[in-house]
Amino acid sequence: MILTVTPNPALDLTYRVPALQPGETHRAAPPAVRAGGKGLNVARVIGQTGGHAFVLTTAGGPSGLRLADDLEASRMPAEVIPVSAETRSSVAIVDDEDGETTVINEIGGALTPAEWIALHDAVLRLTVPAACVVGSGSLPPGAPEDFYAQLVAAASAHQRPSVIDATGHALLLAAEAGASVVKPNRRELAETTGRDDPVEGARILLDAGAGLVLVSLGAEGMLAVPRAGEPLHARLAERLTGNATGAGDAAVAAVATLLAGGVEDPSAVLRRATAWSAAAVLAPLAGDLHPTYPEFEARLVTG
């Protein structure tokens, strides 16, 4: 079982428009609505590819009820910590003309000290049977900055690998705690380390204590920077257009699946993560892969 922890989930609303024109009025069909947030998307991809994931998340208010209902309807194994703050929404607008997606993410509400304790206790309990632990996404306002570092420590206490997809000080602390893999995108890495060069930024996280740094480069593919050896790069030969909002989550799902199976080779991790990330771009909703995802690894250009 792969445990995915999402302290700041969202109710995802995905609209499609023929062509997005800023400043203009658009008519659209009702949105696709589903329980979202990075860790939930990771769990969906793991399930689609034949793995077993367990979701730990929070939910509050009417949107939180809709999120919990969707988790149940999707038959995703989950534990939901009730919170007083309303679960935030995330709106994605897909432009069918050029394939670009515009995303508006609400920040989310603060958790009370008692709610953080309940979430932390659940992490400690659910880490025991997990083969890998994943911490994904933003933290709500007022969150302990070391929340993901605590997650890494809980995994390490049971000799479990951990994958963290975060940004800023929370990511740096997770690296210092010894996260097996950290997966920022290029912008998040620059914001965290102050370095525009992704290799230089990755080296800072490695020096802090991370085992492997995987950097999403958008259309340029993905970069893996290991503790030993040269950086590795992989991409598709052709540029894909579609909904890229879940591409990073698909990469995290690939990493967690391999680590849970005992595979740690950076080259294998990079190839699977890049392939699944690309396959996610062609899927209509975040948390899904295009049905042809097994074929994507053979289409990669590496080096």
Side-chain angles (χ1 to χ4, degrees):
M1 178 266 282
I2 297 171
L3 174 65
T4 72
V5 183
T6 311
N8 197 26
L11 192 66
D12 283 351
L13 295 87
T14 302
Y15 291 88
R16 304 192 74 93
V17 297
L20 182 62
Q21 301 178 29
E24 297 296 329
T25 299
H26 299 75
R27 294 186 181 277
V33 182
R34 75 187 326 183
K38 284 182 171 294
L40 278 67
N41 294 338
V42 171
R44 289 183 191 277
V45 171
I46 291 170
Q48 180 184 342
T49 54
H52 175 48
F54 190 94
V55 170
L56 174 61
T57 191
T58 63
S63 59
L65 289 176
R66 293 186 70 183
L67 182 143
D69 287 345
D70 183 66
L71 283 175
E72 184 174 356
S74 302
R75 296 184 178 178
M76 294 177 63
E79 179 171 336
V80 178
I81 305 298
V83 297
S84 54
E86 176 91 11
T87 296
R88 67 192 178 105
S89 294
S90 177
V91 179
I93 304 172
V94 182
D95 185 327
D96 286 331
E97 184 174 74
D98 62 15
E100 296 295 328
T101 301
T102 301
V103 180
I104 301 172
N105 286 324
E106 292 181 359
I107 295 173
L111 275 61
T112 68
E115 291 163 354
W116 278 115
I117 291 173
L119 183 60
H120 183 261
D121 288 348
V123 166
L124 296 180
R125 172 168 38 83
L126 293 169
T127 297
V128 177
C132 182
V133 179
V134 175
S136 291
S138 62
L139 296 175
E145 284 193 321
D146 66 345
F147 177 78
Y148 285 136
Q150 294 177 34
L151 191 68
V152 171
S156 297
H158 296 283
Q159 293 79 51
R160 306 291 193 264
S162 55
V163 187
I164 302 298
D165 182 2
T167 188
H169 199 47
L171 177 61
L172 184 58
L173 291 176
E176 291 177 352
S180 305
V181 179
V182 294
K183 199 225 68 65
N185 61 35
R186 191 203 301 262
R187 175 186 55 78
E188 293 166 341
L189 182 61
E191 290 177 357
T192 301
T193 65
R195 303 296 179 89
D196 290 330
D197 183 290
V199 175
E200 292 181 5
R203 294 292 185 199
I204 290 175
L205 296 182
L206 291 173
D207 290 344
L212 174 70
V213 180
L214 200 63
V215 187
S216 296
L217 302 176
E220 297 175 31
M222 197 160 292
L223 180 72
V225 185
R227 297 187 66 83
E230 294 298 314
L232 307 169
H233 178 246
R235 62 178 178 83
L236 284 184
E238 70 275 17
R239 181 185 177 91
L240 301 178
T241 59
N243 183 2
T245 53
D249 305 326
V252 171
V255 174
T257 299
L258 288 175
L259 293 182
V263 179
E264 300 178 354
D265 175 62
S267 178
V269 169
L270 174 66
R271 292 185 63 86
R272 181 68 55 83
T274 306
W276 287 17
S277 179
V281 173
L282 297 183
L285 298 175
D288 292 339
L289 299 183
H290 192 271
T292 61
Y293 75 90
E295 304 169 10
F296 276 71
E297 283 193 55
R299 296 164 55 185
L300 294 178
V301 177
T302 58

